[in-house]
Amino acid sequence: MTMKNILNKLQSGQKLDFDEFLFLLDNRDEYLANQLQSLAIKTRQKHFGNKVYLRGLIEFSNYCKNNCYYCGIRAGNANAKRYRLSKKQILDCCAFGYNVGYRTFVLQGGEDCFYSPDDIADIVKSIKQNYPDCAVTLSFGEHSKQVYQQWFDAGADRYLLRHETADKTHYEKLHPQNMSWQNRMACLQNLKDIGYQVGCGIMVGSPFQTNEHIAKDLVFMQNFKPHMVGIGPFIPHKATPFADKNAGNVDLNLFLLSLIRIILPDVLLPATTALGSLQSDGRERGIMAGANVCMPNLSPQEVRDKYSLYNNKLSSGAESAQQHEELKQKIENIGYQVVVSRGDHARFEKEGC
Ligand code: SAH
């Protein structure tokens, strides 16, 4: 196994195995990062030109029944100021977003049992009725296949559910015993079987993560072929068991964005809020590494601070849909173009779904 050999394989679109991914990770330096970045940029250019897609993120509830050790809105954080948005508030967010040019709304929340499956289906239906030219993405955690099907039938197009780690033992270090890695993975498969455009993903530098874990994640992504991948650095939250853990590494995050772009050439890949929160030009650097999606915050101003997954999470400036022009400008300044379109995955555009 030589580096030249691996790079040739990547260039010609061949799959890498676990050892080859691990070799790349173990030999990561600035030179290799630059090589992957150029290949990622070429790949993205071929599939998307210089287009960057926007998704309006509506964080509709920070109540959560789960107790993930890393997450600031975990049930066990008694200090979290909880909120949930009404259907009307959610629709108001969409109305604002639509006017600014968003054609995808992402409804993300903690696993809040207050909303019944019917409630969510009803919200999805109303958004699709009001904005038939828009896509609705849900990111609302683990549910039964039946419930996922109900939301799909109501009109939901996409679902984001990060797998968090492809290694069961690592998963168990990040989550309490009542959460299961098998169930997380089964949910992703169910979503795909139903017909959603599906997004998986990881936190870069999550506690106890090793290069072996990341190599496993890459093998998983390569085989699962998600339509979207969300990765961002882990950032500690002060009221969690991981308060004292180190944040993830921005350069590793950028390296992985490039690598994911190369192994999944037409994937929709956001430069995430976490990346922008850790470094002021993180979002731009993410795009330059191979990302092609930004997800500014559309939630009502007064609840923004409360969806606090980690310390110092950004929700203002170009991270906010209200400052749309600022974001557009920043993206144009680095040579890209914000487009007003649903931005579906190519496999779905062709099928006309
Ligand atoms: N309940 C939904 C949404 C969770 S929040 C779900 O289960 O999918 C969305 C993502 O934020 C999580 O999947 C996790 O990867 C990320 N996240 C949570 N806490 C974080 C932290 N401290 N640092 C960085 N990312 C975090």
Side-chain angles (χ1 to χ4, degrees):
M1 183 166 43
T2 65
M3 187 60 85
K4 195 165 165 227
N5 209 315
I6 296 177
L7 290 174
N8 279 340
K9 276 178 116 174
L10 281 175
Q11 210 145 17
S12 57
Q14 290 176 63
K15 283 189 171 187
L16 298 192
D17 63 21
F18 173 85
D19 290 330
E20 291 165 328
F21 280 126
L22 187 58
F23 189 82
L24 285 175
L25 289 161
D26 284 344
N27 290 287
R28 179 174 66 88
D29 60 12
E30 213 181 311
Y31 180 71
L32 179 59
N34 288 339
Q35 279 180 303
L36 290 189
Q37 180 176 18
S38 339
L39 187 50
I41 289 176
K42 261 189 230 151
T43 310
R44 200 239 336 260
Q45 192 66 29
K46 182 169 158 213
H47 290 269
F48 296 98
N50 64 352
K51 289 182 185 145
V52 171
Y53 299 97
L54 297 186
R55 281 72 166 95
L57 181 61
I58 304 170
E59 294 162 336
F60 69 97
S61 169
N62 72 349
Y63 284 87
C64 192
K65 69 175 166 63
N66 290 332
N67 241 331
C68 309
Y69 299 144
Y70 45 84
C71 184
I73 63 167
R74 64 202 302 271
N77 179 5
N79 290 327
K81 294 193 183 70
R82 305 286 171 175
Y83 74 92
R84 53 172 69 96
L85 301 183
S86 66
K87 178 178 172 187
K88 180 178 180 308
Q89 283 175 304
I90 295 173
L91 289 174
D92 286 348
C93 295
C94 296
F96 176 85
Y98 190 85
N99 286 333
V100 196
Y102 293 94
R103 294 297 176 266
T104 292
F105 302 114
V106 181
L107 266 53
Q108 185 175 86
E111 289 192 24
D112 180 1
C113 307
F114 173 84
Y115 303 90
S116 69
D118 287 352
D119 291 336
I120 300 292
D122 178 55
I123 293 168
V124 172
K125 260 186 209 153
S126 298
I127 299 175
K128 296 293 283 195
Q129 259 159 22
N130 292 356
Y131 309 103
D133 53 337
C134 289
V136 171
T137 304
L138 293 174
S139 176
F140 194 38
E142 298 174 23
H143 297 272
S144 68
K145 187 168 184 187
Q146 194 190 345
V147 168
Y148 285 151
Q149 183 73 54
Q150 181 187 359
W151 296 340
F152 185 75
D153 295 341
D157 302 272
R158 311 185 188 135
Y159 206 101
L160 301 177
L161 185 73
R162 291 189 179 176
H163 62 291
E164 312 295 358
T165 167
D167 183 273
K168 182 173 176 290
T169 310
H170 184 216
Y171 188 90
E172 287 163 2
K173 291 184 178 162
L174 303 177
H175 302 93
Q177 260 185 6
N178 66 339
M179 292 181 73
S180 109
W181 177 79
Q182 284 94 336
N183 193 53
R184 193 97 184 157
M185 291 311 216
C187 283
L188 279 168
Q189 191 57 53
N190 286 340
L191 289 161
K192 202 157 189 222
D193 292 344
I194 290 169
Y196 282 95
Q197 296 175 54
V198 180
C200 64
I202 61 166
M203 290 177 288
V204 176
S206 60
F208 315 111
Q209 186 184 61
T210 62
N211 280 350
E212 280 79 3
H213 295 142
I214 302 177
K216 259 189 168 179
D217 290 317
L218 292 164
V219 170
F220 166 69
M221 289 176 199
Q222 194 177 241
N223 292 332
F224 183 64
K225 297 192 185 66
H227 308 88
M228 307 169 282
V229 173
I231 67 164
F234 162 74
I235 305 175
H237 183 287
K238 58 182 185 313
T240 63
F242 290 163
D244 298 327
K245 302 285 183 197
N246 293 327
N249 179 291
V250 170
D251 288 333
L252 175 58
N253 198 121
L254 297 170
F255 183 87
L256 290 175
L257 284 172
S258 298
L259 195 47
I260 293 168
R261 166 62 59 213
I262 299 165
I263 62 170
L264 299 168
D266 54 8
V267 77
L268 290 151
L269 189 62
T272 53
T273 307
L275 190 58
S277 297
L278 212 52
Q279 204 164 76
S280 59
D281 59 351
R283 192 187 320 92
E284 290 90 326
R285 291 184 70 196
I287 292 171
M288 290 192 291
N292 63 341
V293 172
C294 280
M295 297 170 63
N297 200 311
L298 257 186
S299 313
Q301 210 75 47
E302 64 276 13
V303 305
R304 293 266 173 95
D305 293 349
K306 301 192 183 112
Y307 199 81
S308 170
L309 304 178
Y310 42 82
N311 296 337
N312 306 318
K313 177 167 164 279
L314 270 194
S315 65
S316 59
E319 204 56 53
S320 152
Q322 275 68 23
Q323 267 85 56
H324 181 65
E325 283 309 315
E326 183 182 334
L327 175 64
K328 228 174 119 178
Q329 199 55 57
K330 283 191 164 176
I331 292 175
E332 282 168 16
N333 287 348
I334 54 167
Y336 293 85
Q337 181 206 356
V338 167
V339 290
V340 176
S341 104
R342 277 175 49 124
D344 286 294
H345 189 276
R347 294 208 292 274
F348 278 73
E349 280 177 345
K350 280 185 205 116
E351 290 156 18
C353 293

